[in-house]
């Protein structure tokens, strides 16, 4: 769901800048000479690129026999490896913790969870996720960056998604006229600070152990995937009676305005 951009170095850098809201009425005197204020330089942010490599192999025998419903086993395993690569990237984008890399140590990107620091609150373990709690997250960001930049995408584990479904203020439901089923593939919650899509995400922390089940709320257009090397399939050298290959690529997470996002942890697993 995130946009993409291009990284050109293993240490990917970008600029982060916010527009401050006025705190008083501003008016210019007719005919007055211009005055100049000192420029505020944007902040320089960075993240390291992470290599993700998924290997696969098929024996000579498996290539030779007829495998029901699979077609060419090597092509089947290549497709499966690509899906695995995408899942590994998504998990890193959510849960990655920065590691700059050294001899024998892989580089690892900072993920969404670790990147959100300004509006992070660790609740007492077992706290219930209420509408009041949710709207407090909205209020924190709204006060800091203004209404136009409040987060619009909320990612939660399945149990917390079910809890938000019970909120009374703004959940959207519709009936599919074709099969008469009550359908809610994407829930939209409208708070006093904006409209927020709420999605259950398999990689958002759900375990009861510290820091506990988490709510991650982001402004979707302020986060991007920066590819140094988009994923490619490569056939590797034979080293026996088998064919080898891998899917390899390198990417990182770019966050253009971290203060537009929020996260809270420590909630009851079931809401």
């Amino acid at each position: 769901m995130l946009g993409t951009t291009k990284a050109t170095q293993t240490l990917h850098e970008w600029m982060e800048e916010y527009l401050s809201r006025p705190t008083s009425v501003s008016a210019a005197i007719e005919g007055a000479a211009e005055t100049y204020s000192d420029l505020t330089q944007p902040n320089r942010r960075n993240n390291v690129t992470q290599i993700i490599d998924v290997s696969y192999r098929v024996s000579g025998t498996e290539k030779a026999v007829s495998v029901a419903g699979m077609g060419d086993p090597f092509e089947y395993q290549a497709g499966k490896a690509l899906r695995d690569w995408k899942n590994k990237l998504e998990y890193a984008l959510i849960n990655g913790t920065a590691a700059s890399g050294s001899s024998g140590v892989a580089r690892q990107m900072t993920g969404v969870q670790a990147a959100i620091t300004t509006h992070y609150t660790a609740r007492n373990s077992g706290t219930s996720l209420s509408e009041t709690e949710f709207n407090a997250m909205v209020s924190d960001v709204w006060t800091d960056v203004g209404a136009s930049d409040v987060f619009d995408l909320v990612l939660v584990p399945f149990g917390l998604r079910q809890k938000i479904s019970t909120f009374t203020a703004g959940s959207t439901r519709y009936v599919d006229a074709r099969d008469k089923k009550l359908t809610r593939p994407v829930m939209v919650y409208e708070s006093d600070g904006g409209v927020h899509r709420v999605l259950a995400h398999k990689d958002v922390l759900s375990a009861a152990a510290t820091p506990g089940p988490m709510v991650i709320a982001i402004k979707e257009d302020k986060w991007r995937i920066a590819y140094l090397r988009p994923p490619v399939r490569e056939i590797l050298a034979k080293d026996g009676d088998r064919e080898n290959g891998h899917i390899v690529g390198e990417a990182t997470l770019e966050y253009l305005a971290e203060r537009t996002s929020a996260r809270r942890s420590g909630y009851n697993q079931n809401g």
Side-chain angles (χ1 to χ4, degrees), residues 159-202:
L160 296 186
R161 170 63 169 76
Q162 290 180 303
K163 176 63 177 180
I164 296 174
S165 295
T166 67
F167 290 178
T168 58
S171 55
T172 298
R173 299 171 175 83
Y174 66 88
V175 175
D176 190 328
R178 293 169 299 178
D179 55 16
K180 303 300 181 183
K181 290 182 180 179
L182 183 65
T183 309
R184 190 168 53 221
V186 176
M187 187 179 72
V188 177
Y189 181 86
E190 185 171 0
S191 72
D192 291 331
V195 176
H196 322 277
R197 289 176 299 148
V198 183
L199 302 178
H201 196 289
K202 63 185 182 299

Side-chain angles (χ1 to χ4, degrees), residues 39-215:
L39 294 175
T40 300
Q41 293 297 320
N43 295 320
R44 185 182 293 273
R45 292 275 198 169
N46 64 68
N47 205 349
V48 297
T49 58
Q50 178 173 331
I51 301 170
I52 299 177
D53 185 354
V54 179
S55 61
Y56 58 96
R57 64 175 23 162
V58 172
S59 70
T61 299
E62 190 173 4
K63 282 277 292 182
V65 301
S66 177
V67 183
M70 184 181 292
D72 185 335
F74 194 66
E75 295 299 320
Y76 174 86
Q77 294 297 337
K80 186 177 178 181
L82 179 58
R83 293 191 296 272
D84 190 23
W85 191 96
K86 292 178 179 178
N87 285 337
K88 290 179 183 295
L89 173 64
E90 186 166 8
Y91 189 90
L93 290 168
I94 295 289
N95 295 296
T97 302
S100 58
S102 59
S103 178
V105 178
R107 291 188 303 275
Q108 187 168 301
M109 73 177 77
T110 297
V112 173
Q113 177 181 307
I116 300 174
T117 56
T118 303
H119 300 294
Y120 171 53
T121 303
R123 309 301 289 168
N124 293 329
S125 180
T127 297
S128 177
L129 177 58
S130 62
E131 282 190 81
T132 300
E133 275 283 314
F134 188 92
N135 280 285
M137 294 176 64
V138 177
S139 178
D140 287 347
V141 177
W142 191 95
T143 301
D144 190 8
V145 299
S148 62
D149 279 332
V150 173
F151 57 80
D152 54 15
L153 178 61
V154 180
L155 306 176
V156 291
F158 187 76
L160 296 186
R161 170 63 169 76
Q162 290 180 303
K163 176 63 177 180
I164 296 174
S165 295
T166 67
F167 290 178
T168 58
S171 55
T172 298
R173 299 171 175 83
Y174 66 88
V175 175
D176 190 328
R178 293 169 299 178
D179 55 16
K180 303 300 181 183
K181 290 182 180 179
L182 183 65
T183 309
R184 190 168 53 221
V186 176
M187 187 179 72
V188 177
Y189 181 86
E190 185 171 0
S191 72
D192 291 331
V195 176
H196 322 277
R197 289 176 299 148
V198 183
L199 302 178
H201 196 289
K202 63 185 182 299
D203 297 329
V204 175
L205 190 63
S206 60
T210 303
M214 185 171 295
V215 176

Side-chain angles (χ1 to χ4, degrees), residues 11-34:
L11 180 64
H12 178 58
E13 294 186 303
W14 64 93
M15 296 297 184
E16 178 187 58
E17 189 169 25
Y18 301 92
L19 183 64
S20 299
R21 296 285 296 176
T23 57
S24 61
V25 175
S26 179
I29 299 172
E30 183 177 341
E34 191 60 84

Side-chain angles (χ1 to χ4, degrees), residues 240-259:
D241 183 22
R242 56 200 178 196
E243 292 190 25
N244 305 312
H246 73 165
I247 307 293
V248 63
E250 190 168 354
T252 192
L253 177 67
E254 183 176 291
Y255 37 103
L256 302 173
E258 174 268 332
R259 283 164 42 196

